[in-house]
Amino acid sequence: MAIIVVDEARTTHRPFRFPWLTMGLSDIAAWYITLANAIIYRGLRPGEKKSEFTDVEAIKWYTLSLASITKRLADPAESNSEGLIIAVTGFVCHDASIGNFDRFAIHMGGLERLISKRGGLQALSSPFLRLMISWLDLAGATYFNSKPRFHIPKDSITQIDTGNDSQYLQQLLETWDADCPTLGDIISAMKATAAVASYINQHHDIDGFWVDDVRIARVLSPAYHQILTLEGIPLPDDPSNPEYSGIAAREAFRRVALIFLAAIKLRMGGAAYEMKNHLEAFLQISQLPLVNWGIVAELNLWAHIISAMQEESPNRAWHVLTIVGIMESLNLQTGNQAIDIARGVIWTDSIDEGKSDSLCREIDSYLEATVSQRLENIPQDANIDTSSRDIES
């Protein structure tokens, strides 16, 4: 069984599976849960739904792992070992991979307590274990829209030269900050997201980039932390409050930044169970009444384009309708012009894969239909005979 798991990890890419095997082989309980997870995934096609424990063999390995952990938690000598932390991390990883976030939260809470007893995340000896726990923590935080439990590992990639990529975004954020000075804290989160896009644009064509899970995690983690550690600001009950529109826009753009990063996770072959939650949240916020979305129309346009590229009908139709409305306020005539604006904000072609072309066609079709409808509604002068006879004469 071990040979099959190792060979499959070499030939079939799933994020972190191959580097995790080193961890899994270092502890018996971690190895058991690794086997259980491998059996669940065995034979599945990409994108196929994973059902847990329909296989007797998977149940056997899961039960053995759980029994080992339970026994060691009761042993004072074992309960503080790094091996036990590896085993519980295996359970958290298993929960995240199949999308069982209720159980994930229980196991992550236990893992946090074990790590605290050891002196914190940085006290663990394995750099990969530290990164893996931090990455799983972010998976839970993005799903629950909550703050991460741990700080990012020290070897995360935080210094990224964005060159001229972020100049337009910088101008938009400065305008927004001038109009809504109390909401400047999201600017760093938007810049961190833009830095991720810039890094990917600079490195995506390097051989093996999209299977270098550790590197991508080191790039994404700082942006996730910037976004998820922002303090929540309640929306004022009174829409006439001068901060009402800015607070709504702040949360809307924060959600779209998470949607953007989730799309990158999907591109690297991982799961993004949080995507649906953030798409729904942005849709609800974008439909709030009496919000002045014209505060920064270009950012709003970017937000709807990014969301529309990840949406299916009928929600996609709402985004198309809103995009066309924003285009009118910005005097944009075609879908390509709208996409060009979004490209200047935060963008990477790596998550496009033809989606922007499809969206452009929908936008242009809607614009064409709207123009035709307007022409039909123009009243004709009864004195004008438009028959072909008069034209020919």
Side-chain angles (χ1 to χ4, degrees):
M1 184 65 189
I3 295 175
I4 294 174
V5 171
V6 173
D7 286 345
E8 188 179 21
R10 285 198 179 103
T11 58
T12 306
H13 176 69
R14 275 204 288 125
F16 305 106
R17 181 165 60 164
F18 194 75
W20 168 256
L21 286 180
T22 304
M23 294 282 100
L25 288 166
S26 70
D27 182 89
I28 189 64
W31 180 240
Y32 288 156
I33 193 62
T34 301
L35 293 177
N37 186 263
I39 291 166
I40 291 171
Y41 272 88
R42 187 170 53 190
L44 287 177
R45 295 184 297 274
E48 188 176 355
K49 186 174 176 59
K50 300 165 284 297
S51 58
E52 189 180 16
F53 302 144
T54 55
D55 189 297
V56 174
E57 190 177 7
I59 296 174
K60 179 188 76 172
W61 294 120
Y62 184 93
T63 303
L64 286 171
S65 182
L66 184 61
S68 173
I69 289 175
T70 302
K71 181 179 179 180
R72 290 156 71 185
L73 282 170
D75 183 341
E78 280 287 321
S79 63
N80 197 37
S81 68
E82 190 159 310
L84 183 59
I85 289 176
I86 293 171
V88 178
T89 301
F91 267 80
V92 174
C93 182
H94 174 73
D95 294 336
S97 72
I98 62 172
N100 189 336
F101 282 93
D102 289 336
R103 196 173 61 199
F104 171 99
I106 296 171
H107 289 150
M108 180 57 84
L111 181 61
E112 183 181 23
R113 290 189 292 274
L114 290 173
I115 291 172
S116 179
K117 287 174 61 180
R118 291 276 300 183
L121 192 63
Q122 294 301 328
L124 302 180
S125 63
S126 167
F128 175 73
L129 180 60
R130 294 195 298 267
L131 179 136
M132 192 69 190
I133 292 171
S134 175
W135 183 252
L136 291 168
D137 177 33
L138 291 172
T142 54
Y143 183 84
F144 291 112
N145 191 34
S146 60
K147 291 184 178 181
R149 299 169 185 261
F150 303 106
H151 296 296
I152 59 172
K154 292 180 179 179
D155 58 352
S156 296
I157 299 175
T158 56
Q159 301 300 318
I160 298 174
D161 181 11
T162 59
N164 296 325
D165 291 353
S166 299
Q167 283 189 353
Y168 184 56
L169 173 64
Q170 179 67 31
Q171 293 173 7
L172 295 177
L173 292 176
E174 287 175 356
T175 301
W176 190 26
D177 194 30
D179 293 336
C180 310
T182 60
L183 303 179
D185 60 346
I186 197 176
I187 291 179
S188 60
M190 298 295 287
K191 287 181 178 179
T193 307
V196 169
S198 182
Y199 187 94
I200 290 174
N201 291 336
Q202 294 170 31
H203 298 87
H204 70 95
D205 56 352
I206 297 174
D207 287 344
F209 176 80
W210 287 108
V211 294
D212 190 348
D213 319 313
V214 171
R215 185 206 288 202
I216 296 174
R218 291 172 61 210
V219 172
L220 294 182
S221 293
Y224 270 125
H225 269 265
Q226 288 277 8
I227 298 166
L228 292 166
T229 55
L230 289 172
E231 293 293 338
I233 302 178
L235 188 67
D237 294 330
D238 183 4
S240 65
N241 186 307
E243 295 184 1
Y244 181 85
S245 293
I247 291 173
R250 173 187 186 268
E251 179 61 14
F253 300 152
R254 191 184 72 85
R255 293 285 188 158
V256 176
L258 291 171
I259 291 168
F260 184 85
L261 296 180
I264 294 174
K265 284 169 62 177
L266 291 173
R267 176 61 182 84
M268 67 183 281
Y273 293 103
E274 73 275 14
M275 177 76 85
K276 180 181 177 181
N277 297 341
H278 296 305
L279 285 170
E280 289 179 354
F282 174 66
L283 185 65
Q284 291 176 8
I285 297 168
S286 69
Q287 294 175 344
L288 284 172
L290 304 176
V291 174
N292 178 16
W293 292 107
I295 294 175
V296 183
E298 294 88 349
L299 274 175
N300 195 29
L301 180 64
W302 166 80
H304 280 280
I305 286 175
I306 293 298
S307 297
M309 287 169 60
Q310 305 301 324
E311 277 281 23
E312 303 291 340
S313 294
N315 290 344
R316 184 177 171 97
W318 161 259
H319 292 299
V320 172
L321 178 64
T322 306
I323 288 167
V324 169
I326 300 170
M327 288 173 61
E328 289 181 353
S329 71
L330 295 174
N331 295 317
L332 303 177
Q333 306 300 317
T334 67
N336 274 328
Q337 289 176 333
I339 297 295
D340 285 344
I341 292 288
R343 286 178 178 276
V345 180
I346 301 174
W347 190 273
T348 174
D349 285 333
S350 297
I351 64 171
D352 187 336
E353 299 179 316
K355 294 177 182 177
S356 65
D357 291 338
S358 174
L359 181 59
C360 265
R361 289 192 292 271
E362 289 186 50
I363 293 170
D364 290 337
S365 294
Y366 186 88
L367 286 169
E368 183 179 347
T370 302
V371 170
S372 298
Q373 184 65 42
R374 288 174 179 173
L375 291 174
E376 290 177 5
N377 292 336
I378 296 175
Q380 290 188 2
D381 190 333
N383 296 320
I384 297 177
D385 187 347
T386 57
S387 67
S388 59
R389 177 177 55 81
D390 288 344
I391 294 173
E392 291 173 357
S393 65

